[in-house]
């Protein structure tokens, strides 16, 4: 009897999503995978077996998502694990980015994941099981660097909705994990995956320096191995108790601990004044 889980992975034509899909197929899992361009997805995965279902999906179109989930269930009879991986980076200070640039980043990074959750939950509730990985970023926990405010805000939103989802879905034996990757050696910082502001303001020199740092020095030298990240996600689904929060990578742990130390210090320093507000 085949007891291996069926996975649905969004944003699977490149980056961590592509690495995960390949790893799953190599290990005998059944995988439905989505991309905006199905030919790019097929070429990237390069797998012709029956365990792979490539799907062309527009994540901001609910009907497109609903059809993809129905097709996945029709082929594999169920879905056990969803990985909301699709997303892109948007650089630019809050003043520089247009309303359209900011909203588009939220549409893909937040509402895309929310649309998938909304459409897969009836299936998960019916089978009384399921797990959802929402791929955020360590930038969903820390936001104190110039030029990535909107991107950080999208990932903070993913964290918040995942925490709520975990509580809402618990009565139905459904679990959720928000993943906070640090820097992994994928194409996330390449042109097309990291968008720069269309109308930069020259005076924001620190923001430009941060962007240059990411595109010329960090890109290609990231600490994290996406193969090992995929291994972690697969291994977690074999465990009985999955975490709600998963910081992924040594750098993610470093940044998160720095943030927690700062919060603890500030709370302690201002506790007397800040708690003087009770009746």
């Amino acid at each position: 009897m085949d007891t291996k889980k069926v996975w649905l992975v969004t944003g699977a034509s490149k980056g961590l999503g592509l690495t995960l899909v390949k790893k799953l197929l190599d290990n005998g899992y059944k995988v439905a995978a989505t991309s905006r361009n199905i030919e790019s997805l097929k070429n990237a995965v390069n797998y012709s077996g029956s365990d792979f279902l490539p799907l062309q999906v527009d994540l901001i179109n609910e009907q497109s998502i609903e059809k993809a989930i129905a097709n996945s269930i029709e082929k594999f009879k169920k879905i056990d694990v969803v990985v909301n991986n699709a997303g892109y980076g948007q650089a630019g200070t809050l003043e520089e980015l247009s309303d359209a640039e900011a909203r588009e980043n939220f549409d893909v990074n937040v509402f895309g994941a929310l649309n998938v959750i909304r459409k897969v939950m009836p299936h998960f509730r019916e089978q009384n099981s399921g797990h959802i990985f929402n791929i955020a970023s360590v930038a969903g926990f820390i936001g104190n660097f110039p030029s990535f405010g909107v991107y950080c805000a999208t990932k903070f939103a993913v964290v918040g909705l995942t925490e709520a989802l975990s509580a809402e879905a618990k009565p139905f034996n459904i679990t959720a994990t928000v993943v906070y990757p640090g820097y992994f050696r994928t194409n996330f910082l390449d042109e097309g995956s990291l968008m720069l502001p269309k109308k930069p303001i020259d005076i924001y020199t620190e923001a430009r320096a941060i962007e240059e740092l990411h595109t010329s020095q960090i890109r290609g030298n990231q600490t994290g191995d996406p193969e090992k990240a995929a291994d972690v996600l697969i291994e977690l689904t074999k465990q009985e108790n999955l975490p709600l929060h998963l910081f992924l990578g040594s750098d993610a742990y470093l940044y998160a601990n720095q943030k927690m130390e700062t919060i603890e210090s500030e709370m302690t320093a201002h506790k007397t004044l800040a708690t003087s507000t009770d009746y």
Side-chain angles (χ1 to χ4, degrees):
M1 182 177 179
D2 186 1
T3 58
K4 283 195 172 180
K5 293 179 170 64
V6 177
W7 292 61
L8 171 65
V9 182
T10 71
S13 62
K14 57 185 177 180
L16 177 59
L18 175 59
T19 301
L20 176 60
V21 167
K22 287 185 171 183
K23 181 84 66 172
L24 288 165
L25 291 170
D26 286 345
N27 285 275
Y29 289 90
K30 294 178 173 61
V31 183
T34 82
S35 176
R36 289 174 297 178
N37 187 315
I38 194 168
E39 292 305 319
S40 295
L41 176 59
K42 290 177 181 178
N43 292 336
V45 175
N46 191 28
Y47 182 92
S48 58
S50 61
D51 288 344
F52 177 49
L53 177 63
L55 298 161
Q56 183 167 328
V57 174
D58 178 0
L59 290 176
I60 60 174
N61 183 307
E62 290 186 272
Q63 288 71 38
S64 178
I65 295 169
E66 189 170 30
K67 181 180 178 182
I69 290 172
N71 288 344
S72 301
I73 296 170
E74 181 181 5
K75 180 173 177 61
F76 297 130
K77 309 307 178 188
K78 63 174 183 171
I79 300 171
D80 297 300
V81 183
V82 167
V83 182
N84 279 312
N85 170 73
Y88 69 94
Q90 176 65 66
T93 67
L94 299 181
E95 181 184 357
E96 290 171 324
L97 292 182
S98 67
D99 183 73
E101 287 171 295
R103 287 179 183 274
E104 185 174 356
N105 204 210
F106 269 88
D107 278 343
V108 175
N109 291 5
V110 180
F111 288 101
L114 185 58
N115 288 339
V116 173
I117 291 167
R118 187 183 296 115
K119 295 303 181 182
V120 81
M121 277 296 292
H123 172 66
F124 278 180
R125 285 191 291 102
E126 183 179 356
Q127 70 184 15
N128 196 43
S129 67
H131 186 76
I132 297 173
F133 285 110
N134 288 328
I135 309 299
S137 165
V138 72
F141 193 73
I142 59 170
N144 58 338
F145 43 92
S147 188
F148 287 89
V150 165
Y151 174 72
C152 289
T154 69
K155 296 305 184 178
F156 270 77
V158 170
V159 172
L161 68 85
T162 307
E163 290 184 343
L165 173 64
S166 176
E168 294 167 356
K170 186 177 180 180
F172 311 107
N173 198 37
I174 301 163
T175 53
T177 298
V178 57
V179 184
Y180 306 81
Y183 289 106
F184 278 82
R185 205 165 297 180
T186 68
N187 54 4
F188 178 75
L189 296 178
D190 293 355
E191 185 178 353
S193 294
L194 176 63
M195 307 300 291
L196 299 177
K198 294 179 180 178
K199 294 183 178 180
I201 300 173
D202 291 342
I203 201 170
Y204 281 110
T205 55
E206 190 175 1
R208 300 292 85 79
I210 291 288
E211 293 162 9
E212 175 67 18
L213 177 69
H214 280 78
T215 57
S216 66
Q217 296 183 42
I218 296 176
R219 183 166 67 94
N221 297 301
Q222 297 97 320
T223 302
D225 181 349
E227 295 279 345
K228 293 179 180 178
D231 287 336
V232 169
L233 298 184
I234 295 169
E235 180 60 32
L236 279 176
T237 62
K238 301 174 184 177
Q239 299 181 6
E240 185 174 346
N241 298 311
L242 281 77
L244 172 54
H245 300 275
L246 177 66
F247 288 89
L248 201 56
S250 60
D251 53 352
Y253 264 73
L254 174 65
Y255 296 138
N257 280 320
Q258 290 173 343
K259 170 74 174 281
M260 289 186 283
E261 289 171 3
T262 298
I263 291 174
E264 184 177 7
S265 175
E266 291 180 344
M267 289 180 69
T268 299
H270 300 285
K271 181 178 180 179
T272 300
L273 179 61
T275 58
S276 66
T277 56
D278 298 346
Y279 281 106

